[in-house]
Amino acid sequence: MPDLTAEQLSHFQGATTLCYCWHLQTREGSQTIRVTDHDRAVTFRGESWHPGLVIEASVLRHTLSLSPEPLDLKGALEADGITADDLKAGVWDGAKVSVYRVDWQASDQGVWLWSGYITDIREEGDRFAIGLASIKSDLERTSGRVFSRRCDTVFGGAACGVDVGSAPQPECDKRFATCRDVFSNAENFRGFPHMPGNDAVISGPGEKRDGSSREIER
């Protein structure tokens, strides 16, 4: 649960007039939607949140782990600016989502619950199932290159440069030896075959090391 002041905790423990308010913004920020599951418009944070959310949601979980916390929602989402065609076309794929719990009779009493992204939208009959991932998933994304002995590029892609159609053996195991000897493409190899081995990492100064510390992966 989010951190609540004593006043908020006291209020929410006895409140029976609570609703969810959802803020959605497309990935590029060109469209913003504020929608609630209440049957009337709710004013919160100086903005109007309009009816149009009918959702069956699993529990919005808060953990101390680095899990992306996948969340599947099933229901209906209708609001000005959101259409079935847009959902099918992927306009809202990757959209930012923030969820708030608000007392519609005292909208100054509202708390943030969860933030994340729409990961996928699937059509199920006359409704849409929406997959979400927590903002914690940002911590699990690879940023920049991965240092590895093996190549990290796509075989046959622009960075690789191998013509798959005329390649003598249209398979690649990402090893430097394969890139060099089978495809004659060592100059485009995007791994780090000369990385020190584990013995070089854990050994102390002056200790004798075997050849594996500098050996090219074969």
Side-chain angles (χ1 to χ4, degrees):
M1 288 294 294
D3 294 332
L4 302 179
T5 65
E7 180 183 359
Q8 288 175 323
L9 185 59
S10 175
H11 179 86
F12 277 93
Q13 282 179 336
T16 58
T17 54
L18 300 179
C19 63
Y20 286 105
C21 288
W22 287 60
H23 180 277
L24 297 91
Q25 185 178 57
T26 53
R27 184 168 42 194
E28 69 280 3
S30 61
Q31 297 187 59
T32 298
I33 298 297
R34 296 178 181 86
V35 64
T36 178
D37 62 352
H38 188 44
D39 58 1
R40 297 180 183 179
V42 174
T43 300
F44 174 57
R45 291 191 166 184
E47 303 284 352
S48 185
W49 306 66
H50 297 281
L53 179 67
V54 182
I55 218 80
E56 299 171 6
S58 60
V59 177
L60 294 169
R61 293 174 293 127
H62 285 264
T63 71
L64 297 178
S65 71
L66 297 182
S67 167
E69 299 181 357
L71 174 69
D72 286 323
L73 305 173
K74 294 183 179 181
L77 179 61
E78 297 180 0
D80 292 340
I82 292 183
T83 66
D85 289 341
D86 282 347
L87 292 174
K88 292 178 181 178
V91 173
W92 291 94
D93 291 354
K96 298 177 182 178
V97 180
S98 291
V99 182
Y100 302 88
R101 193 68 159 150
V102 179
D103 183 343
W104 52 265
Q105 282 192 336
S107 56
D108 59 318
Q109 297 290 341
V111 294
W112 167 86
L113 287 182
W114 189 89
S115 290
Y117 305 92
I118 293 178
T119 57
D120 65 282
I121 301 175
R122 308 175 301 279
E123 189 173 7
E124 296 187 354
D126 59 350
R127 291 189 170 190
F128 288 90
I130 303 174
L132 298 178
S134 163
I135 54 175
K136 291 180 182 178
S137 61
D138 286 345
L139 300 176
E140 298 189 345
R141 295 180 183 177
T142 300
S143 179
R145 294 193 61 191
V146 175
F147 288 90
S148 168
R149 287 190 174 190
R150 302 208 175 196
C151 185
D152 65 356
T153 194
V154 177
F155 178 57
C160 170
V162 171
D163 183 353
V164 178
S166 61
Q169 180 182 340
E171 294 182 6
C172 182
D173 58 11
K174 305 289 187 176
R175 295 187 304 125
F176 177 73
T178 302
C179 188
R180 178 193 60 200
D181 301 336
V182 177
F183 301 104
S184 302
N185 194 42
E187 68 276 9
N188 289 327
F189 185 73
R190 291 177 58 84
F192 302 88
H194 299 284
M195 288 178 63
N198 289 337
D199 66 315
V201 175
I202 64 177
S203 63
E207 290 187 24
K208 184 178 180 180
R209 306 177 184 126
D210 61 31
S212 65
S213 63
R214 291 186 175 84
E215 182 181 4
I216 296 176
E217 185 179 87
R218 300 184 185 279

